[in-house]
Amino acid sequence: MMTARLTAVAALLALAFQPALALSVTSATQFGPPTIRLEAADTLHASRHAFVQLPAGQTALTLPLAELGVSADDVVLGLQPDDCVRLVAVRSDEDGTRWILQASRDVEATLALTYPVDDLSWAIEYAATLTTDGSLDLHASLRLTNDSARDLDDARLVGDFARATLSLDAGESITVEQPWLSATIRPDDLDRSLVYDRARHGDSVVELLTISGDAPARATALPPGPVRIYAAPADGGEFIRQTSIPYTAPREAIEFALGPTSGVVVTRGLEKSEELDKRLDARDKVTLFDLRETWLLEVRNLREIPVDLLVREHHEGAWKLEQCTERCERIDAETLVFNLTVEPGERREITFCIRHEHHQP
């Protein structure tokens, strides 16, 4: 393993341009372990800090670029206190690269070295387990993979959703629990329903598990990530399926699709489409028109018990509902919802007509 603390020899060299302030002092400077910011970016960045005694005047500083695996162009050097220490030049020659610092007085300076960390990837992953009492245990973990050729020692990882302190060998992956993103959701805050939503779940009825946004145990924003859903341990703890969680703000509901369900069938088809209210330009060419679509939904319950079914229809652009044979509700600009109770063996047809406004040819 790479040593947990990098040592950079800060060579305070005699500079020819100010002989009166020439120095030939060598001191060892220790950089602390890296702090890496976890963010949605192709390349992450690490920062390390060190303290060094600088005399008044100019100092030539060398940095451990080879140990970090970066070039001088990749590095950003920050200095404190900034009222008396500043970077005046960066010089490279056959002997290497030196950062020329100017101090207005003798001072202990803080060096902040920031550089890219290539081939380090991270993700938040979830496991959701249904329990026998009807609640749900949601566990979050941070998955890290070091595909670089260098070890990370005592790295402090920080981010909006994840944090950890760990060592990670080159080529190693590790999983770290993230308890502040985990929760036990009570049965009263869970809802299991049958849903037909072709745009989101394909052409099958799926069982949907919804966590209420008002759940007290779910007041934390959740980052996106895959989620593996398991049955209750008393029922064998079987893996049910893998789905994903999008970014979910606090107090926003979460939906898990538990997979297609049997015995309830929905077919959907466009019965008719016609252009109306055509608008012409000076050359009698159509510039705008309305499009009226007539849709048919057929719902069949092949089970021996009644089922409650939620049907969602999504339509983009400016539109209005002109006719419907079933009670429905428009819940936002794009979504029409039907709440149906279908009796055993029942076959039901729903026809609705939507007028899309201001279409262009």
Side-chain angles (χ1 to χ4, degrees), residues 203-220:
D203 217 8
S204 299
V205 175
V206 301
E207 184 175 9
L208 203 65
L209 181 66
T210 303
I211 300 176
S212 168
D214 294 327
R218 230 291 297 147
T220 303

Side-chain angles (χ1 to χ4, degrees), residues 94-160:
E94 63 274 7
D95 295 326
T97 301
R98 297 183 299 277
W99 281 257
I100 312 302
L101 311 183
Q102 178 78 43
S104 61
R105 55 179 171 82
D106 293 352
V107 66
E108 182 183 61
T110 302
L111 311 179
L113 186 64
T114 301
Y115 56 93
V117 181
D118 293 324
D119 300 321
L120 179 66
S121 59
W122 69 282
I124 296 294
E125 300 176 346
Y126 301 92
T129 302
L130 302 168
T131 64
T132 52
D133 66 358
S135 60
L136 179 133
D137 288 333
L138 182 66
H139 292 277
S141 58
L142 170 65
R143 180 70 173 175
L144 286 155
T145 302
N146 182 10
D147 287 326
S148 72
R150 290 174 172 78
D151 300 334
L152 284 176
D153 292 326
D154 298 327
R156 180 172 175 260
L157 305 166
V158 298
D160 293 337

